[in-house]
Amino acid sequence: MQDRYPDPETFSTGILFESLGRKLELEPVTDTGGYNRMVVSPDISRPGLCLSGYTYKFMHDRIQIFGETEITLLKQLSPAERTAAVANVYSFSVVCAIVTKGLTPPDELVAAALESGSALFSSPQDTTPLIHDLTHYLGEVFAPHVSLHGTLVDIYGEGVLVMGRSAIGKSEAVLGLVERGHRLVADDLVRVRRAGNRLIGTGDALIGFHMEIRGIGFVSIAELFGVGATKEMQSVDLVVRLLDADLTDETDRSGLEENLMAVLGVDIPLVEIPVLPGRNITLLLEVAAMMNIQAKDTGCTSAERLNRKLIARMGRKRLRD
Amino acid sequence: MVELVVTVPNKLGIHARPAAMIVRAAVEFDSEIWLESPADKVNAKSIMGVMTLAASGGTSVTVSAAGDDETTAVEAVADVIKSGFGEEMI
């Protein structure tokens, strides 16, 4: 499935080539090997300074980009100087390197990459756009992430993460939402990663858009309801926790108190719904999502608006008395 | 049937948050519990009802209850009101 990023723990040069090679139009310059070298940093490096001899703080654990500057610099040197310049870079363990703009890498560079067994790619793309795409991709791969037990569904564009103990009825409630035209993102296991101050949720590639419904078994939502009933990725905008009714503390019935749940350091509004026989959880999830949308649009909740009206009415009454 | 008259001591009166506190105290009891202002009489276990009362600060309200635990019920609800809900007093 698209938009599922490789695990940073096992993110190697080979996986980078497989997943991004087509988009960046990468071609191996020659068979250097080094595909098992790990990409450990979301940043990239321009090795120009290192080539010219300033190796202090050279970021060898980043992907090296040889753009026009670097290649022109190398071409101006004599073969012996070129070998020395390239050696400045390849005396370190280089993750991999990309020569951009369709430039031909000098023989000394190819030889050094071969000798150190570090992958060397070329791309016809311009340097800045390539760096942009590469950094964006690496940023996504290395974003902080966590796997949560819950079900993520898109309700009117609002990403609602339904949580609660197993067998409390998360899947059934979300199945009801799908039947009403909302879209399933992930059932049972939601991978959440942080992008800036937003949380993005996806499912597991293997599980896909299957749901496990007790008594029926695995249900393929995409096959049963069509692709319109599924969504690859979705921001997480609201967490709804389903609670056993007897465990629910009846502290707040008015909805005036705003609860938050921190996920990867981002605070997400949290609504806790006691599950009681006869309650239509599907409907309540839909209402919770709509209220969250409204609260964001208007800057305050309906409870706050109602309360303001009430306080104003009491004020007028006191003036009359 | 037991009755107690209390004055709403906080500035804002019984708005949504105090109403929720009153209801939370009231639902603990089996008795029927009411709140009464000169204008209206409402079920103290209904948050909408209690809010509709629109009892502003300084208003007298009558708490009444009928049932097996009516005495403690009335006292408990009256105590919540007298506490001022942890808000600024008049």
Side-chain angles (χ1 to χ4, degrees), chain A residues 249-254 256-257 306-307 310-311 313-314 317-318, chain B residues 11-12 14-17 23-24 47 51-57:
Chain A
D249 180 21
E250 290 244 16
T251 22
D252 180 35
R253 289 185 36 166
S254 58
L256 271 174
E257 281 164 39
L306 176 61
N307 200 28
L310 173 60
I311 290 170
R313 184 203 280 189
M314 288 191 288
K317 229 172 75 176
R318 205 165 41 218
Chain B
K11 234 176 184 166
L12 284 179
I14 303 178
H15 60 96
R17 203 182 65 87
V23 170
R24 199 185 161 208
I47 189 160
M51 283 170 70
T52 316
L53 213 56
S56 48

Side-chain angles (χ1 to χ4, degrees), chain B residues 67-87:
Chain B
D68 289 343
D69 48 12
E70 54 188 31
T71 313
T72 39
V74 164
E75 279 167 7
V77 172
D79 282 348
V80 171
I81 298 172
K82 283 189 280 187
S83 76
F85 318 105
E87 293 189 356

Side-chain angles (χ1 to χ4, degrees), chain A residues 210-231:
Chain A
H210 283 84
M211 295 185 86
E212 193 245 342
I213 304 292
R214 266 167 206 79
I216 295 181
F218 292 115
V219 177
S220 169
I221 298 302
E223 285 170 29
L224 218 54
F225 293 91
V227 285
T230 62
K231 199 172 181 186

Side-chain angles (χ1 to χ4, degrees), chain A residues 5-296:
Chain A
Y5 293 93
D7 182 358
E9 300 290 317
T10 57
F11 188 51
S12 63
T13 301
I15 293 176
L16 172 77
F17 181 58
E18 265 171 42
S19 51
L20 204 60
R22 184 180 285 184
K23 182 167 189 193
L24 300 185
E25 300 174 70
L26 300 180
E27 284 292 338
V29 172
T30 176
D31 187 13
T32 53
Y35 279 43
N36 53 3
R37 286 204 184 170
M38 303 300 288
V39 181
V40 293
S41 165
D43 301 317
I44 58 105
S45 158
R46 298 290 300 268
L49 272 176
C50 185
L51 289 171
S52 65
Y54 186 75
T55 55
Y56 179 62
K57 290 221 170 176
F58 172 56
M59 305 294 184
H60 62 91
D61 55 354
R62 299 182 180 178
I63 296 169
Q64 305 297 322
I65 307 292
F66 287 83
E68 199 161 24
T69 323
E70 285 79 5
I71 298 299
T72 312
L73 167 74
L74 287 174
K75 286 198 170 145
Q76 283 171 353
L77 304 173
S78 71
E81 288 170 329
R82 204 147 46 222
T83 308
V86 165
N88 284 338
V89 172
Y90 279 91
S91 61
F92 298 94
S93 172
V94 172
V95 178
C96 69
I98 301 170
V99 181
T100 59
K101 273 192 142 175
L103 296 160
T104 313
D107 295 342
E108 291 82 356
L109 175 57
V110 180
L114 257 172
E115 198 191 330
S116 78
S118 166
L120 181 65
F121 303 106
S122 76
S123 165
Q125 297 183 2
D126 285 347
T127 314
T128 306
L130 180 137
I131 288 176
H132 181 84
D133 285 346
L134 181 59
T135 344
H136 176 76
Y137 185 82
L138 293 175
E140 297 286 359
V141 171
F142 288 98
H145 65 283
V146 65
S147 290
L148 296 174
H149 177 64
T151 300
L152 182 60
V153 61
D154 163 0
I155 305 177
Y156 300 121
E158 198 78 343
V160 179
L161 178 62
V162 187
M163 301 185 82
R165 69 163 172 81
S166 33
I168 200 160
K170 300 183 288 291
S171 297
E172 281 82 351
V174 171
L175 194 60
L177 288 167
V178 169
E179 207 263 333
R180 291 166 82 112
H182 304 295
R183 304 174 75 185
L184 174 74
V185 184
D187 184 41
D188 213 34
L189 179 96
V190 185
R191 294 196 196 287
V192 179
R193 71 196 148 75
R194 181 177 171 167
N197 265 329
R198 288 180 46 155
L199 297 173
I200 311 290
T202 54
D204 179 85
L206 173 71
I207 298 172
F209 298 113
H210 283 84
M211 295 185 86
E212 193 245 342
I213 304 292
R214 266 167 206 79
I216 295 181
F218 292 115
V219 177
S220 169
I221 298 302
E223 285 170 29
L224 218 54
F225 293 91
V227 285
T230 62
K231 199 172 181 186
E232 293 280 356
M233 60 195 297
Q234 168 66 42
S235 58
V236 181
D237 305 298
L238 176 68
V239 177
V240 177
R241 189 182 285 141
L242 303 183
L243 293 172
D244 291 297
D246 51 336
L247 293 176
T248 312
D249 180 21
E250 290 244 16
T251 22
D252 180 35
R253 289 185 36 166
S254 58
L256 271 174
E257 281 164 39
E258 195 193 15
N259 291 313
L260 297 168
M261 179 172 153
V263 179
L264 295 170
V266 180
D267 285 334
I268 302 290
L270 168 72
V271 171
E272 294 186 322
I273 297 181
V275 176
L276 286 156
R279 289 199 98 183
N280 184 340
I281 303 299
T282 295
L283 176 66
L284 299 182
L285 287 171
E286 206 174 50
V287 170
M290 290 192 286
M291 288 184 63
N292 202 46
I293 295 172
Q294 199 190 26
K296 277 194 287 191

